[in-house]
């Protein structure tokens, strides 16, 4: 029992002292996940909107694909990417294995289907009268598309934040392709896994507390956005 | 020269059921035309086709100016507008909803401010301009829809059931608005309604949609 209390004490000590090692790990985690989600949004948002708005051949198949990839196990992504980036793999010449870039790629792959799928769902949910109304008011099809994206904004934000939540908490993929190299590719989740293994609970606990705080913030944000987006139900 | 609408021998069927059948009418002067007919007779279909939201299976929608037929392009679309029976509401303020048509036409801020203010005054919604439009009542939503449609000064205005599912008080307000609009706007206004009394009060010309055709009463 005592060692738990001691770990927490030490953990808070690290946090309050803004321990350099701790801070570096947190910053790298935020950077890797932040960049990954940004890239996934850049490509995922337009694709989600497109499949939400346009009817074309193979659309249902594509949507099924998004949903399948949404539940992709991170270790599988890690393994796949490892094979691609390892020295004898097709992209081995890029020398990306065990770099933050490889971690960003892994998390982008994990975030992408979530963003596409939830953007698609948000776009489809927009009342059809919005499209008709914007047409009757003289909008071009591009203007109509932007209007629909604006109407779907809360659902889209939920998708982006959910993706961020998922990749921040993920450990399997980045452990495999990042290698958990001290001062270079060590992030919160991988450090927790390793330090716990070694019996160093202070750093692990400190990171655990921070990760929990981040997760709480993300979920609070989700809650606030969903609440704001639900304004239309005030009267019903 | 004023914009005119000539509907020529149009046909429209849904699931093999013919709704409009060799339907023709020439809206040849600025006036209020009231289109009557029981539910399901095809009034909404007719308005959607006229406002270029849908294509007829056969026949022509000819918009004319100085006897020249205009292309169905953005330019023409921006001179006509339809108020849908289920008014689409953007999840933003009443002001922004009404400003929509002006914004997409690239109007300047000051102009938008002035025109929207005028339109809101016209439908007595000025006090609600900063409120989220999704919180308006049905009657207020219809009034906002009218403001949003007239703010772009259409040459032809289609209104589909502007007073349907609206309470007595708002029906009177909306009718009053439409009667004022009739005097103010020198354009073609086409109103679909199944309310005979309302039609009587509003229309210069009364049309009946029956068996897929339009007949002047
Ligand atoms: N998009 C559609 N798909 C299938 N049937 C439709 C569609 N739109 C209208 N209809 C049918 O066409 C008929 C006429 O509808 P509508 O034009 O709405 O009549 P009204 O406005 O006079 O009540 C109705 O029977 C309706 O069910
Ligand atoms: Mg109708």
């Amino acid at each position: 029992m005592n060692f738990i209390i001691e770990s927490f004490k030490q953990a808070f000590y690290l946090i309050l002292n803004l321990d350099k090692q701790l801070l570096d790990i947190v910053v790298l985690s935020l950077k890797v996940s932040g960049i990954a989600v940004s890239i996934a949004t850049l490509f995922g948002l337009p694709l989600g909107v497109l499949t939400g708005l346009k009817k074309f051949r193979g659309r249902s198949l594509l949507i099924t694909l998004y949903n399948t990839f949404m539940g992709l196990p991170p270790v599988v992504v890690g393994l796949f990417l490892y094979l691609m980036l390892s020295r004898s793999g097709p992209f081995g010449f890029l020398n990306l294995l065990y770099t933050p870039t490889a971690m960003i790629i892994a998390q982008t792959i994990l975030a992408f289907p979530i963003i596409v799928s939830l953007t698609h769902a948000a776009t489809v949910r927009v009342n059809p009268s919005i499209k008709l109304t914007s047409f009757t008011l003289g909008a071009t099809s591009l203007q109509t598309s932007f209007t629909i994206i604006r109407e779907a904004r809360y659902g889209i934000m939920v998708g982006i934040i959910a993706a961020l939540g998922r990749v921040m908490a993920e450990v399997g993929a980045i452990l495999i392709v990042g290698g958990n190299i001290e001062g270079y590719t060590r992030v919160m989740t991988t450090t927790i896994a390793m330090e716990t293994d070694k019996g160093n609970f202070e750093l692990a606990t400190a990171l655990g507390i921070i990760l929990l705080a981040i997760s709480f913030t993300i979920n609070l944000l989700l809650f606030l956005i969903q609440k704001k987006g639900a304004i239309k139900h005030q009267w019903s | 020269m004023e914009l005119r609408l000539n509907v020529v021998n149009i046909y429209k069927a849904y699931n093999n059921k013919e709704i409009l059948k060799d339907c023709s009418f020439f809206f040849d002067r600025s006036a209020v035309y009231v289109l009557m007919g029981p539910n399901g007779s095809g009034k909404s279909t007719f308005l959607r086709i006229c406002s270029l939201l849908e294509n007829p299976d056969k026949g022509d929608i000819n918009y004319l100016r100085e006897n020249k037929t205009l292309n169905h392009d953005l330019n023409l679309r921006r001179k006509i507008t339809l108020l849908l029976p289920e008014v689409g509401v953007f999840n933003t303020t009443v002001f922004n909803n009404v400003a929509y048509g002006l914004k997409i036409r690239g109007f300047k801020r000051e102009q938008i401010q002035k025109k929207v203010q005028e339109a809101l005054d016209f439908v007595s919604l000025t006090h609600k301009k900063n409120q989220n439009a999704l919180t308006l009542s049905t009657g207020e939503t219809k009034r906002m829809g009218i403001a949003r449609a007239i703010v772009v000064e259409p040459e032809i205005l289609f209104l589909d059931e502007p007073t349907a599912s609206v309470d007595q008080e708002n029906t009177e307000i909306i009718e009053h608005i439409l009667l004022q609009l009739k005097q103010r706007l020198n354009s073609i206004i086409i109103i679909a309604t199944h309310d005979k009394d309302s039609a009587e009060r509003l229309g210069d010309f009364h049309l009946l949609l029956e068996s897929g055709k339009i007949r002047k009463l």
Side-chain angles (χ1 to χ4, degrees):
Chain A
M1 206 50 215
N2 234 346
F3 86 102
I4 296 182
I5 297 169
E6 200 52 37
S7 303
F8 268 89
K9 255 199 214 154
Q10 293 291 329
F12 278 110
Y13 179 81
L14 285 177
I15 294 172
L16 293 176
N17 277 296
L18 301 173
D19 179 79
K20 169 98 169 65
Q21 192 194 2
L22 179 87
L23 225 53
D24 284 349
I25 292 172
V26 174
V27 168
L28 183 66
S29 295
L30 291 172
K31 224 192 225 164
V32 167
S33 298
I35 294 174
V37 170
S38 305
I39 298 172
T41 304
L42 196 67
F43 294 99
L45 195 150
L47 187 60
V49 169
L50 196 75
T51 44
L53 292 184
K54 295 266 181 288
K55 299 225 160 32
F56 51 86
R57 270 188 61 169
R59 177 172 177 256
S60 332
L61 185 71
L62 206 58
I63 296 163
T64 312
L65 226 56
Y66 302 158
N67 293 330
T68 310
F69 280 92
M70 237 172 110
L72 218 53
V75 278
V76 175
V77 172
L79 171 67
F80 166 78
L81 205 57
Y82 182 92
L83 293 175
M84 289 290 143
L85 298 179
S86 67
R87 193 157 302 164
S88 47
F91 297 101
F93 66 94
L94 294 172
N95 283 322
L96 286 177
L97 201 60
Y98 305 140
T99 64
T101 309
M103 296 156 74
I104 291 172
I105 297 172
Q107 295 205 334
T108 303
I109 295 172
L110 288 169
F112 183 74
I114 300 176
I115 289 172
V116 178
S117 184
L118 295 186
T119 301
H120 167 84
T123 312
V124 169
R125 267 203 312 274
V126 171
N127 193 322
S129 70
I130 293 294
K131 189 176 175 183
L132 296 177
T133 298
S134 102
F135 182 93
T136 62
L137 293 171
T140 62
S141 38
L142 193 65
Q143 287 171 328
T144 302
S145 300
F146 277 112
T147 302
I148 292 172
I149 294 175
R150 191 147 23 112
E151 289 302 305
R153 64 192 178 274
Y154 295 114
I156 293 173
M157 277 191 263
V158 165
I160 293 170
I161 292 172
L164 188 64
R166 171 141 199 253
V167 297
M168 294 273 330
E170 175 277 320
V171 54
I174 40 172
L175 189 60
I176 295 176
V177 301
N180 204 24
I181 301 164
E182 185 169 0
Y184 186 47
T185 59
R186 228 174 240 191
V187 291
M188 290 193 276
T189 52
T190 56
T191 311
I192 293 174
M194 197 191 63
E195 297 296 318
T196 306
D197 223 28
K198 290 199 301 191
N200 293 340
F201 296 115
E202 312 82 58
L203 187 57
T205 309
L207 289 169
I209 293 168
I210 294 174
L211 201 54
L212 212 61
I214 292 175
S215 165
F216 176 76
T217 311
I218 287 175
N219 278 294
L220 189 69
L221 225 63
L222 274 179
F223 170 76
L224 290 176
I225 290 171
Q226 273 163 341
K227 198 172 132 197
K228 199 159 189 295
I231 189 164
K232 60 183 92 170
H233 303 304
Q234 269 179 14
W235 287 79
S236 51
Chain B
M1 249 320 257
E2 281 144 10
L3 188 60
R4 302 282 168 249
L5 168 59
N6 196 9
V7 178
V8 189
N9 308 116
I10 61 167
Y11 288 76
K12 185 76 186 182
Y14 291 114
N15 314 319
N16 293 322
K17 194 171 143 234
E18 278 195 316
I19 306 300
L20 299 174
K21 208 165 126 189
D22 198 15
C23 176
S24 300
F25 196 82
F26 194 5
F27 297 93
D28 64 350
R29 70 196 66 183
S30 298
V32 175
Y33 298 81
V34 179
L35 181 59
M36 285 177 287
N39 273 329
S41 55
K43 303 183 293 298
S44 297
T45 304
F46 181 79
L47 292 194
R48 283 198 304 273
I49 290 174
C50 287
S51 59
L52 310 178
L53 216 51
E54 260 180 74
N55 288 320
D57 297 336
K58 227 164 69 176
D60 291 306
I61 299 296
N62 290 330
Y63 279 95
L64 311 162
R65 203 190 296 278
E66 295 175 30
N67 296 322
K68 275 215 284 288
T69 306
L70 305 179
N71 288 329
H72 291 183
D73 55 13
L74 186 66
N75 201 13
L76 170 64
R77 279 216 286 118
R78 289 189 167 174
K79 299 208 159 47
I80 61 180
T81 190
L82 161 69
L83 178 73
L84 292 158
E86 209 190 311
V87 178
V89 180
F90 303 124
N91 186 358
T92 178
T93 59
V94 172
F95 182 95
N96 285 336
N97 263 274
V98 176
Y100 186 84
L102 298 170
K103 280 185 187 159
I104 59 175
R105 284 169 176 74
F107 275 83
K108 294 219 169 55
R109 266 184 67 127
E110 308 83 67
Q111 274 178 302
I112 292 177
Q113 194 75 34
K114 187 168 146 278
K115 283 173 188 282
V116 171
Q117 191 58 56
E118 253 176 44
L120 286 174
D121 284 342
F122 189 66
V123 300
S124 317
L125 276 182
T126 310
H127 59 299
K128 302 251 167 169
K129 75 173 177 186
N130 294 321
Q131 193 172 313
N132 187 298
L134 289 165
T135 63
L136 297 178
S137 71
T138 315
E140 287 167 344
T141 302
K142 291 266 189 192
R143 276 150 60 194
M144 181 189 79
I146 293 170
R148 191 169 58 186
I150 62 171
V151 80
V152 297
E153 296 168 25
E155 290 184 67
I156 301 188
L157 173 61
F158 302 94
L159 302 163
D160 196 349
E161 307 277 3
T163 59
S165 61
V166 168
D167 60 36
Q168 187 58 36
E169 188 192 335
N170 268 293
T171 301
E172 277 167 26
I173 297 174
I174 290 169
E175 276 189 21
H176 181 74
I177 289 169
L178 294 179
L179 284 170
Q180 269 185 289
L181 194 62
K182 180 174 165 178
Q183 273 158 14
R184 211 178 78 155
L185 225 60
N186 186 34
S187 45
I188 295 176
I189 302 177
I190 304 170
I191 306 175
T193 179
H194 62 269
D195 180 346
K196 283 211 176 66
D197 301 328
S198 182
E200 204 54 54
R201 288 189 289 270
L202 293 172
D204 297 315
F205 299 102
H206 297 88
L207 316 177
L208 182 68
L209 185 51
E210 207 177 34
S211 324
K213 288 188 175 58
I214 286 185
R215 174 159 73 81
K216 205 160 163 182
L217 292 179

